[in-house]
Amino acid sequence: PVTVVGVGIDLVDLERIRTLLADKGEHAMTRLFSDSERQYLASRPDATGHAAARIAAKEAVYKAMQALPGARGVGWREIEVARDAEGRPAIRLHGLAARVSEQQGGLRIQISLTHSAVSAGAIAVVEAP
């Protein structure tokens, strides 16, 4: 049997992210995103929607993990948005987030992302074996 340990949702305003990236540039990119996420975002003609969706995903996963001991200290780059073999969004955990997952016997995280012209959103479901 699988146990749902948390559900998280987040919505991000694209204009806020556009302003953040314009004002903080590389500092914000380095603080928020892993190397592979930054490479992906650099490949997009307008990365704003993609960056916002990834920020929403990280926040949704963070919220979903909050029922687990030790998860409060998880940082932005410890939750990475990647793609699975079929090209769907997937989550990779690093650092403290990975340790919290291991302590639970290996978490399974389902993620769904969306973005429009004005906002981006994500929902995450975290399951334990």
Side-chain angles (χ1 to χ4, degrees), residues 29-101:
M29 293 294 283
T30 302
R31 187 172 67 85
L32 297 171
F33 302 108
S34 69
D35 290 344
S36 62
E37 287 172 319
R38 289 195 310 275
Q39 287 173 354
Y40 171 77
L41 293 171
S43 76
R44 311 310 301 170
D46 179 4
T48 305
H50 300 279
R54 276 152 182 76
I55 290 169
K58 291 168 182 272
E59 185 67 20
V61 170
Y62 178 81
K63 289 173 180 177
M65 290 180 71
Q66 290 310 294
L68 302 172
R72 283 196 97 50
V74 169
W76 286 103
R77 292 188 309 173
E78 294 175 331
I79 301 168
E80 179 181 15
V81 180
R83 295 196 176 273
D84 68 12
E86 288 81 37
R88 294 180 302 240
I91 298 296
R92 289 188 195 135
L93 300 177
H94 306 281
L96 176 60
R99 289 192 297 279
V100 168
S101 175

